[in-house]
Amino acid sequence: NAGVTQTPKFQVLKTGQSMTLQCAQDMNHNSMYWYRQDPGMGLRLIYYSASEGTTDKGEVPNGYNVSRLNKREFSLRLESAAPSQTSVYFCASSAGGTADYEQYFGPGTRLTVT
Amino acid sequence: GNSVTQMEGPVTLSEEAFLTINCTYTATGYPSLFWYVQYPGEGLQLLLKATKADDKGSNKGFEATYRKETTSFHLEKGSVQVSDSAVYFCALRFSGGYNKLIFGAGTRLAVHP
């Protein structure tokens, strides 16, 4: 039982390049989330998916798109990377989308944009 | 707005020392409060939580008490081990609405033998 997995673990991009961060969970959870963590700041929510087929913006969605590919997978796409998107990205999942459910986190992807 | 403030790290302690990591919050309403821990190379894990004033959350020897009067949720452990070395995040969440966690910046703890 792997929980929440993320690929890649590390990535370096040049400004303007695109890439997709992958996230998968094997806990049959309905809800999934993408966060970013910057030095001196807490994790901030980028997008979330309350259930398969739905996605919604979080606190900092600009410059990102997401796809809930199926119940297991939730990807985050940077269409044209900028240095301001240098960060550590965490994916999480929970059984339900309301505040009663614990979120389970992946190990993170460290992205550097030069 | 709603926010969480944690003491800056790193916190460096010797094994068996007493640990306190301070956390205060600003919130319009009565949130639930959480401590998450991130061990090296792993994702965040829920360490403990408290859902109302005066509740005490505890797990693995760690404790934190929800203090409404001081808007605080300080993490304590009486005797730390090297294996407690990690980054600790304080967070809050409101009931109702979607599952939105608001995190502090995290505090790195390093325990040496």
Side-chain angles (χ1 to χ4, degrees), chain A residues 1-5 23-33 68 71-73 91-96 101-107, chain B residues 44:
Chain A
N1 192 341
V4 179
T5 57
C23 174
Q25 51 89 10
D26 63 2
M27 296 176 281
N28 201 35
H29 282 172
N30 289 310
S31 302
M32 299 184 73
Y33 312 81
R68 184 74 184 267
K71 193 171 185 179
R72 288 188 64 247
E73 298 172 289
C91 178
S93 70
S94 63
Y101 297 96
E102 181 180 344
Q103 292 187 28
Y104 295 80
F105 288 81
Chain B
L44 281 73

Side-chain angles (χ1 to χ4, degrees), chain A residues 102, chain B residues 17 19 35-39 42-49 56-64 75-88 109:
Chain A
E102 181 180 344
Chain B
L19 169 71
W35 277 102
Y36 282 82
V37 58
Q38 184 184 25
Y39 298 105
E42 299 183 14
L44 281 73
Q45 304 171 24
L46 179 63
L47 180 59
L48 53 85
K49 67 179 182 183
K56 178 185 282 189
S58 62
N59 187 23
K60 299 182 181 180
F62 291 89
E63 292 183 341
L75 183 68
E76 296 181 336
K77 187 175 185 183
S79 176
V80 294
Q81 306 300 313
V82 172
S83 57
D84 293 326
S85 298
V87 181
Y88 293 82
L109 170 65

Side-chain angles (χ1 to χ4, degrees), chain A residues 21-96:
Chain A
L21 280 64
Q22 306 287 354
C23 174
Q25 51 89 10
D26 63 2
M27 296 176 281
N28 201 35
H29 282 172
N30 289 310
S31 302
M32 299 184 73
Y33 312 81
W34 276 107
Y35 293 87
R36 61 178 287 172
Q37 185 193 17
D38 302 301
M41 303 184 72
L43 279 70
R44 292 181 293 167
L45 185 65
I46 304 171
Y47 271 93
Y48 68 101
S49 170
S51 60
E52 188 179 354
T54 69
T55 60
D56 287 285
K57 294 178 181 179
E59 188 183 353
V60 288
N62 290 345
Y64 305 95
N65 287 300
V66 290
S67 295
R68 184 74 184 267
L69 304 168
N70 47 55
K71 193 171 185 179
R72 288 188 64 247
E73 298 172 289
F74 188 38
S75 62
L76 179 73
R77 183 157 178 86
L78 287 70
E79 290 290 351
S80 178
S84 61
Q85 294 178 304
T86 293
S87 190
V88 181
Y89 292 85
F90 291 98
C91 178
S93 70
S94 63

Side-chain angles (χ1 to χ4, degrees), chain B residues 21 24 41 52-53 56 61-62 64 85 87 91 102-103 107 112:
Chain B
I21 299 178
T24 57
K52 61 183 187 297
K56 178 185 282 189
F62 291 89
S85 298
V87 181
I102 298 171
F103 286 91
T107 303
H112 57 84

